[in-house]
Amino acid sequence: MNPRQLAHEAIERCRQLACYTEEAGRLTRTFLSPPMREVHQALAGWMLELGMTVRIDAVGNLIGHYPGQTPDAPLFLMGSHVDTVRDAGPYDGPLGVMLALALVKGLEGQRLPFALEVIAFSEEEGVRYGVPFLGSKAVAGRFEAGFLKLQDAEGQTVEAAIRAFGLEPTQIPQAAYNPAQVKGYLEFHIEQGPVLEAQGYPLGIVEAIVGQSRLEVAFRGQAGHAGTTPMPLRRDALAGAAEWMTLVEREARAEPGLVATVGMIAALPGAANVIPGEVQMSLDVRHAYDEVRSLAVANLITRAQQVAQRRGLELFYQTRYEQPAVPCDPPLNERLAQALEAEGYPVHHLVSGAGHDAMIMASLCPSTMLFLRSPGGLSHHPEESVWPEDVEAAVRVGLAFLRKMADGPF
């Protein structure tokens, strides 16, 4: 099967996986939800067709093994995640798994000096439990015991979800790879932004992944009757939250490279004729330099405290997640650049504004990413798409990359 056919198959399989969803009419597939079983069944079948052995670890990562030239050959890993955000598109995550399998298929039975393992990570988005990268953290030996006690919206813990899926949470430590056996990790992913399209590049080599801070922020005031409480006597939590959100946008716009987002908001008690007494929000802050990000978070909390004091509100906040910025591996990127040049594609480097499993895998082994252009810069949206010629380019470059890795030294 030639690269164009492999690309077509990868796209069609992404569309097939998009049918496995928790919600009728839109794609939502969270950590170890029922449709994940259908995803595993489909992936396992495709892996077995390629002569791979298949296993699932205790956190629900599905892994296909393609042997190397010798039984004790080192491992090279590829993969991405198969969970989604709510109302997702079909390519964020699954395309990276499908491209990895396309490369295995493109080898046509050839054995390399290293074995290949393709990992379909069970969780990356953090939708169900509020903490992302549960799958890759287990693989990298960074799964914390406290994660098992996290609860979803229905009150089910991570531990209970793992058991309900037929897995044993006490075996999660065995999911960690031995760093001495792993020589590298490559993740294909759509860019999820407009940079490559704006500059006319089909592919881009990721130099670094920005750091992230995720917080929960709450303003508390006093609920009251919307008709009988005079404006000067109100302690309106929603009005305070709205003022602060405009400050978040203003402060982020003032700092080059900084992005800050209030993505979730809940006003309580949530009635049209009641002044909101409490507002709960998320805050997501990202930057390529950790010092800039940390200063920005501190500044935004100070702004929130000032708003709360001026309006007679109480402020509560909690950091839910901190991830330092992660540089990608220069030697792997050099091989990717050579592969791009060998296949006649321009070499372009960029920074990822989104978090990816590769940033966790970098603590296990040399890691990098190859981005594919996102038409319209659209992602986390049902109209997310790819161009077939870009997927074909990724297949060609991926096979050239594996050949260059096989030429050694490895």
Side-chain angles (χ1 to χ4, degrees):
M1 187 175 285
N2 63 41
R4 180 169 299 177
Q5 292 172 315
L6 290 170
H8 176 76
E9 183 176 73
I11 292 170
E12 288 303 311
R13 287 178 170 180
C14 286
R15 292 172 178 166
Q16 179 177 333
L17 294 185
C19 297
Y20 306 140
T21 175
E22 299 169 49
E23 299 179 298
R26 66 178 193 168
L27 174 56
T28 300
R29 189 171 58 241
T30 60
F31 175 62
L32 298 188
S33 57
M36 197 66 78
R37 296 186 188 278
E38 298 172 290
V39 170
H40 283 179
Q41 183 177 5
L43 287 173
W46 297 330
M47 289 174 173
L48 291 171
E49 289 174 0
L50 297 175
M52 305 176 80
T53 56
V54 182
R55 69 184 190 275
I56 183 171
D57 66 21
V59 81
N61 298 316
L62 188 77
I63 304 164
H65 178 88
Y66 182 78
Q69 293 172 351
T70 61
D72 60 346
L75 298 174
F76 189 83
L77 310 178
M78 297 184 290
S80 194
H81 61 98
V82 290
D83 68 318
T84 74
V85 297
R86 300 195 184 281
D87 199 17
Y91 301 107
D92 173 12
L95 182 62
V97 180
M98 294 303 100
L99 279 170
L101 293 181
L103 298 190
V104 174
K105 191 169 189 174
L107 290 174
E108 298 180 325
Q110 176 189 358
R111 302 301 184 191
L112 303 174
F114 44 89
L116 294 173
E117 290 207 341
V118 176
I119 307 176
F121 292 110
S122 60
E123 206 287 331
E124 187 256 16
E125 298 286 4
V127 172
R128 183 172 180 183
Y129 288 101
V131 175
F133 308 119
L134 296 179
S136 50
K137 283 186 175 180
V139 165
R142 294 174 55 184
F143 192 95
E144 300 173 17
F147 292 159
L148 293 174
K149 304 305 179 185
L150 295 172
Q151 295 185 2
D152 63 13
E154 283 71 46
Q156 187 177 46
T157 64
V158 170
E159 182 176 9
I162 290 172
R163 293 190 189 280
F165 205 78
L167 304 172
E168 177 48 59
T170 60
Q171 296 178 0
I172 289 176
Q174 283 86 321
Y177 280 71
N178 179 355
Q181 296 176 335
V182 182
K183 299 304 180 183
Y185 172 77
L186 171 64
E187 181 171 357
F188 296 91
H189 207 285
I190 58 172
E191 181 198 349
Q192 301 181 277
V195 174
L196 290 175
E197 183 180 32
Q199 298 183 353
Y201 297 109
L203 305 172
I205 300 172
V206 178
E207 291 187 325
I209 303 171
V210 299
Q212 299 180 43
S213 298
R214 293 189 187 181
L215 294 85
E216 291 179 350
V217 180
F219 287 96
R220 290 181 188 169
Q222 178 64 58
H225 196 289
T228 62
T229 308
M231 298 301 291
L233 300 181
R234 296 187 178 200
R235 295 171 56 217
D236 187 332
L238 184 54
E243 179 183 349
W244 179 67
M245 283 190 288
T246 62
L247 290 172
V248 169
E249 181 184 40
R250 189 179 73 190
E251 297 293 330
R253 284 177 177 270
E255 178 62 51
L258 181 71
V259 292
T261 305
V262 176
M264 294 189 298
I265 180 169
L268 305 174
N273 60 347
V274 179
I275 300 163
E278 179 175 350
V279 172
Q280 301 168 351
M281 295 170 288
S282 65
L283 175 64
D284 183 306
V285 182
R286 309 185 190 202
H287 197 275
Y289 294 103
D290 292 332
E291 313 82 54
V292 175
R293 173 175 51 85
S294 297
L295 286 172
V297 170
N299 179 51
L300 292 175
I301 293 300
T302 298
R303 293 290 195 178
Q305 290 168 334
Q306 292 169 346
V307 169
Q309 184 176 18
R310 186 169 59 253
R311 290 177 170 270
L313 306 174
E314 294 179 280
L315 176 72
F316 300 87
Y317 63 92
Q318 179 182 10
T319 300
R320 290 298 303 271
Y321 175 72
E322 286 276 1
Q323 172 62 51
V326 176
C328 292
D329 183 67
L332 289 181
N333 279 356
E334 177 59 30
R335 299 284 179 88
L336 279 176
Q338 293 169 0
L340 282 159
E341 291 174 342
E343 294 300 316
Y345 296 104
V347 176
H348 179 70
H349 297 264
L350 72 168
V351 172
S352 173
H356 298 284
D357 289 302
M359 66 197 306
I360 305 300
M361 296 297 287
S363 64
L364 170 73
C365 62
S367 299
T368 195
M369 302 186 71
L370 187 68
F371 273 173
L372 287 77
R373 176 168 41 188
S374 290
L378 199 61
S379 184
H380 285 187
H381 189 281
E383 295 182 14
E384 175 184 274
S385 63
V386 291
W387 284 330
E389 58 267 32
D390 293 352
V391 181
E392 179 183 347
V395 172
R396 293 183 181 278
V397 170
L399 288 171
F401 171 83
L402 291 180
R403 289 193 293 269
K404 291 185 178 297
M405 293 292 290
D407 289 340
F410 190 79

